[in-house]
Amino acid sequence: MTPAIRCQSLTKAFNGTVAVAETDLEVAEGRLLALLGPSGCGKTTVLRMIAGFETPDRGTVEIGGRRVEGEGTHVPPERRKVGMVFQEYALFPHLDVEGNTGFGVPPGPEKAARVREVLDLVGLEGVRHRMPHELSGGQQQRVALARALAPRPEVILLDEPFSNLDAALRQRVRAEVRHILHQAGVSAVFVTHDQEEALSLADEVAVMIEGRVLQTGTPERLYRRPGSHRVATFLGEANFLPGRASGDQVECRLGPLPLLEPAEGEVEVMFRPEDLVMTADPDGPAEIVDRIYYGHDQTLVLRLGDLTLKSRLVGCCRGFREGQRVRLHVEMPVMAYPSPYGCPIAG
Amino acid sequence: MSPVAPNVSVRPEASAVSGPAARFRGPKPRPASWWLRTLAWTVAFLTLVPLIYLVVRALGMGSDAWTIARSPRNLAVLGQTVLLTLAVTASATAVGTALAWLTVRTDLPGRSVWAAATCLPLVLPSYVGAFALIAALGPHGMLQTLLAPLGVERIPSLYGFGGAWLALTLFTYPYVQLTVRAGLRGLDPSVEEAARSLGRTVPQVFRQIVLPHLRPALGAGALLVALYTLSDFGAVSLLQFDALTRQIHIQYSATLDREAAAVLALMLVALTLVLLAVEQRTRGRGRQFRPSAGVSRAPRRHRLGPWRIPALAFCGLVTLLGLGLPVLVTGFWLVRGWQAGDRIGGQWDLLRHSVGASGLAAVACVAAALPVVIYAVRHPGRTSRFAERTAYLGHAMPGIVVALALVFLGARVLPWLYQSLAMLVLAYVILFLPLAMGSVRACLLAISPRTEEAARTLGRSPAGVLRAVTLPQLRPGLLTGGALVFLSCMKELPATLLLGPTGFATLATRIWGATEQAFFARAAAPSLILVLVSAVSLAVLLRHEEEGLPG
């Protein structure tokens, strides 16, 4: 099947500074892709190139199989059939909710019905005659989404769509937006710097750092099997320790561990804190040096010789406390990367 | 598999990114379309026409021009002009900013009345205002007559620097007041509240938060004041202060020395270029649109408390001097003329001519300002900045120079335009375009370019975006700009005198003619009509400003 969006080797420099380098992206029909990266990594530039607000120095963009950018083609933004939700929403302050929503719908007998339908979808039927400044942040956000959806675009682009909402609201609006997008059956790309947002919302995540996409995959795959040290740390907390790999086994300070992907030689072993299981033992090799309590879970910081490791426990404290000695065991197969020891660790 | 804890995000890399991509600071402007560039440059070129005429004349003189420019007397005139401009700009900025803040951001009693009353001097032609000051405060004026029984025989002379400074300050501070009002309304109140919560007092917030935010507005207002002072002729000539404009007029009309007038006019233009360069240097580089999401609340007003007494006294004094005196003096002569049997009728033609020409000019100015401002704001760069600067030039030239240049052109090159209304409107556009540009610019800066991009993704062409998104949001700026141009045209004298079609008497030319011949009673009725018509349009302007702003 033709992907909804396909970008190939997109490259863009501003005043000689490379913002985006050789970026490939593909979004399958009806899927939601998160472009995840720290601020300034070039992810918004990628979005603006897909929308047609920036012209790449090199590379191509296809939307629904149609070439819109590259090799002499430049389709202006208004003919790309992309809907865009801006970080600051960019609602038209002189138009009410209905006026904003209907802005991109061609005039005709179906226009009123379409506006009603979309407002219904986002749950804003009741406020359709309000002006933007009379709406709450969450409502403004949904107007922006409704406005982008109303002309039935082939794809929706969302630029940090939740960064202007407070945390409590963000959780709910995220779920709503995911639901609305899936119900509308539209393909979407959203840009975020929040790994939790990317993992919980997207069907697929592309991790972008310093202008390059380092890895793309489903949230589970990226979290379980990050392709590098940088991706692993960007997606959440991780434990690293040196080891020696041979096939699908690695030998390290925690004993022999099974590998998720075969490796050979000196390696850096990676596993997530929740995979590190502790057993209380006065003669255990590790000591609990700190405990960070979050409510529904907690992180325990462990010292094992010169190594510092983290373990995450869900639920109540189970009697662990600082100063206690424990035995350690890794529950799941681990990842191994070519050893960075002896050369500076990336990042 | 356990879920990712929502509250854990140890991301060393997020803060450690220092690669080249991290330095990138926002998208680069797209190049302007050819039609926008063409329109903007056409407007900029039109405003250059008088200047080109002057340069051609001066070049025709060869080295004589340089000799004239370097004569000690002309250098002295140049120095005095600079001094007056600096003094007036400083005092008008202080007065205008204080009034804007008091009427927008405090609980000053009757603030909307004060806002209207203190803007009214804008409608006074400087020649009428200066005459009123002389009649009230000058030798043998009303004040001296009142003080004479008390034994006061001499009061400080009004003529010279002091009088010109006072008069010009009183007629120019509304420019600052209007731009600063707009700026204050554009300031997100939460920014001020944030500063208060960080331990700043109200005066500190004003100095550290409000003033820096107002810099573009202050710069625009101060620039207008300085340009007004440089090009004013009426006040400096009546108050006998030897500024460049007065000398130019003396050279041209008294000695018929057109070459000296042209050289002096070029010196004046050079002064203006220096001024524009300084203003450009000090203009803030930050983007001016509101960065926060959505549209914010209405601003909270500060309580004046015991300070309301001095605040009211200040507003009262400014109103009395800038508005009260001229009205009193005009009323006095109106009654005297009426008692002497002057007819009040016959003013209708004057009114029709004034309003018609000024209205046409207002529409033309706003239309001409749009492409230049959009080009400069949405496509910032060296060339667009140059086009914008160029369009400011006309305002810097004294009306009499622009008028003479157009008379020359009309007589020699464009006989079909000569002595037509179109020629007069063209002169008005050249002279007053920056007034429209200032308001439109301030308004456009407050519109997020993202709303325009949003409209592009929703299927609108660049022209469609302009019509459906930019122009509706620009409405307050267009109206303010148009109103400012209208008021200025009503007051304009030299160009109206020289370029008006034969028999095209306006309120301004009648007042001038009568005042010059000391028929003060005959000037009174047109003066009053001029003030009233302008006051009504100003009231409409302010009312609209109250209602038109969202939030």
Side-chain angles (χ1 to χ4, degrees), chain A:
Chain A
M1 197 164 69
T2 326
I5 300 175
R6 175 187 282 158
C7 302
Q8 283 179 317
S9 37
L10 275 184
T11 301
K12 176 79 180 173
F14 293 101
N15 302 326
T17 308
V18 175
V20 176
E22 297 292 332
T23 292
D24 298 326
L25 275 184
E26 240 181 66
V27 185
E29 190 79 42
R31 303 274 280 177
L32 187 49
L33 174 97
L35 197 50
L36 172 68
S39 60
C41 74
K43 54 198 191 301
T44 294
T45 304
V46 171
L47 213 63
R48 292 175 61 83
M49 286 194 282
I50 297 172
F53 295 126
E54 304 287 350
T55 311
D57 300 334
R58 212 143 45 77
T60 59
V61 178
E62 285 170 27
I63 295 174
R66 182 170 64 113
R67 166 77 49 87
V68 294
E69 190 74 72
E71 286 160 21
T73 311
H74 174 80
V75 177
E78 65 268 27
R79 292 212 302 270
R80 290 199 176 192
K81 293 194 168 183
V82 297
M84 186 140 176
V85 176
F86 291 83
Q87 184 172 5
E88 61 269 42
Y89 312 145
L91 299 182
F92 305 127
H94 60 296
L95 299 175
D96 64 4
V97 169
E98 213 173 51
N100 267 285
T101 309
F103 190 89
V105 183
E110 286 98 48
K111 180 172 171 173
R114 176 62 184 160
V115 169
R116 229 180 353 261
E117 185 186 356
V118 177
L119 286 179
D120 221 24
L121 179 68
V122 301
L124 286 176
E125 259 301 279
V127 296
R128 59 202 178 99
H129 294 306
R130 295 239 188 112
M131 298 304 280
H133 67 273
E134 298 169 320
L135 300 175
S136 71
Q139 286 173 324
Q140 291 186 16
Q141 149 75 267
R142 279 183 284 164
V143 175
L145 189 59
R147 183 179 70 179
L149 283 171
R152 301 181 200 278
E154 294 191 25
V155 296
I156 293 266
L157 309 174
L158 305 98
D159 186 5
E160 299 270 6
F162 310 105
S163 60
N164 276 317
L165 300 173
D166 59 73
L169 197 58
R170 201 177 302 167
Q171 295 272 6
R172 208 189 70 216
V173 174
R174 263 184 213 159
E176 275 173 13
V177 167
R178 182 182 161 86
H179 182 72
I180 291 167
L181 288 175
H182 276 156
Q183 217 169 25
V186 68
S187 322
V189 179
F190 77 99
V191 152
T192 180
H193 61 267
D194 183 335
Q195 41 92 8
E196 174 207 332
E197 188 166 292
L199 294 177
S200 62
L201 200 56
D203 300 315
E204 228 169 309
V205 178
V207 178
M208 191 165 182
I209 291 172
E210 287 179 17
R212 287 171 193 279
V213 172
L214 298 187
Q215 197 179 355
T216 309
T218 62
E220 291 86 352
R221 189 177 171 81
L222 276 185
Y223 186 74
R224 295 299 327 166
R225 302 183 173 208
S228 64
H229 182 109
R230 310 191 78 175
V231 175
T233 51
F234 195 71
L235 285 171
E237 283 192 281
N239 288 312
F240 295 99
L241 67 164
R244 172 175 285 275
S246 165
D248 47 13
Q249 279 264 326
V250 62
E251 191 65 43
C252 67
R253 297 272 283 280
L254 297 169
L257 297 172
L259 278 171
L260 278 163
E261 278 158 23
E264 293 294 336
E266 296 294 321
V267 292
E268 183 185 37
V269 175
M270 190 290 292
F271 55 92
R272 298 290 179 190
E274 57 269 27
D275 298 338
L276 187 60
V277 176
M278 298 170 296
T279 321
D281 179 353
D283 301 324
E287 183 193 349
I288 300 175
V289 292
D290 200 4
R291 170 171 168 255
I292 306 156
Y293 185 69
Y294 294 114
H296 86 293
D297 66 345
Q298 58 181 307
T299 296
L300 295 154
V301 183
L302 304 154
R303 170 98 9 99
L304 175 66
D306 58 342
L307 286 175
T308 302
L309 298 172
K310 285 176 181 171
S311 172
R312 182 171 303 139
L313 293 176
V314 179
C316 72
C317 61
R318 299 194 200 160
F320 289 112
R321 44 172 215 288
E322 281 162 61
Q324 196 175 354
R325 294 207 74 88
V326 290
R327 264 187 294 124
L328 298 175
H329 162 67
V330 181
E331 242 183 356
M332 307 281 286
V334 300
M335 289 295 290
Y337 309 123
S339 176
Y341 303 112
C343 61
I345 295 174

Side-chain angles (χ1 to χ4, degrees), chain B residues 140-454:
Chain B
H140 312 295
M142 289 155 89
L143 182 66
Q144 198 179 13
T145 317
L146 282 175
L147 293 178
L150 303 173
V152 180
E153 288 178 1
R154 290 172 59 88
I155 52 172
S157 169
L158 198 63
Y159 291 109
F161 182 82
W165 183 14
L166 177 64
L168 284 167
T169 301
L170 286 174
F171 307 132
T172 54
Y173 75 80
Y175 289 121
V176 179
Q177 192 185 353
L178 282 173
T179 51
V180 171
R181 270 179 78 92
L184 278 174
R185 282 153 180 278
L187 175 58
D188 188 338
S190 62
V191 176
E192 279 174 83
E193 285 161 12
R196 289 296 297 283
S197 72
L198 292 167
R200 299 296 192 279
T201 61
V202 172
Q204 283 174 329
V205 169
F206 187 78
R207 214 170 47 243
Q208 297 171 3
I209 307 295
V210 181
L211 272 187
H213 171 86
L214 288 180
R215 240 170 60 171
L218 280 171
L223 184 67
L224 291 176
V225 170
L227 291 172
Y228 184 106
T229 308
L230 277 180
S231 57
D232 175 72
F233 167 71
V236 292
S237 64
L238 280 177
L239 289 160
Q240 297 171 15
F241 179 72
D242 241 339
L244 275 166
T245 48
R246 183 168 185 242
Q247 270 302 313
I248 291 166
H249 188 250
I250 290 173
Q251 296 294 335
Y252 176 72
S253 64
T255 67
L256 285 176
D257 188 346
R258 291 187 185 214
E259 298 191 333
V263 170
L264 284 167
L266 274 176
M267 287 166 75
L268 192 49
V269 170
L271 211 52
T272 310
L273 288 175
V274 171
L275 186 71
L276 290 173
V278 170
E279 197 265 350
Q280 183 64 30
R281 267 288 168 80
T282 55
R283 180 178 285 180
R285 294 194 61 206
R287 298 191 195 182
Q288 293 301 320
F289 57 83
R290 212 176 275 200
S292 61
V295 186
S296 79
R297 292 160 297 117
R300 209 174 53 83
R301 294 184 189 280
H302 296 289
R303 293 217 170 146
L304 282 175
W307 286 100
R308 73 174 54 185
I309 304 298
L312 282 172
F314 172 67
C315 293
L317 180 69
V318 172
T319 311
L320 178 71
L321 283 175
L323 191 65
L325 274 186
V327 169
L328 278 176
V329 173
T330 312
F332 175 77
W333 284 108
L334 192 67
V335 172
R336 282 278 286 268
W338 182 62
Q339 285 170 338
D342 278 1
R343 290 186 319 122
I344 303 287
Q347 314 288 344
W348 273 116
D349 277 350
L350 301 180
L351 181 63
R352 228 162 28 91
H353 290 161
S354 284
V355 170
S358 304
L360 277 177
V363 173
C365 267
V366 167
L370 264 177
V372 183
V373 171
I374 292 175
Y375 183 38
V377 171
R378 286 293 185 252
H379 309 279
R382 211 173 299 161
T383 48
S384 67
R385 207 158 48 227
F386 185 65
E388 193 192 20
R389 298 284 99 182
T390 308
Y392 267 101
L393 277 179
H395 197 61
M397 282 181 274
I400 195 141
V401 172
V402 171
L404 279 176
L406 290 182
V407 165
F408 175 81
L409 267 178
R412 297 263 184 95
V413 188
L414 306 164
W416 46 277
L417 262 181
Y418 186 48
Q419 291 234 316
S420 72
L421 191 58
M423 197 65 151
L424 181 58
V425 170
L426 177 63
Y428 285 160
V429 171
I430 292 173
L431 285 169
F432 299 123
L433 180 64
L435 297 183
M437 282 170 56
S439 321
V440 176
R441 182 179 214 280
C443 200
L444 186 62
L445 281 170
I447 300 174
S448 163
R450 297 291 161 274
T451 60
E452 292 167 359
E453 287 176 357

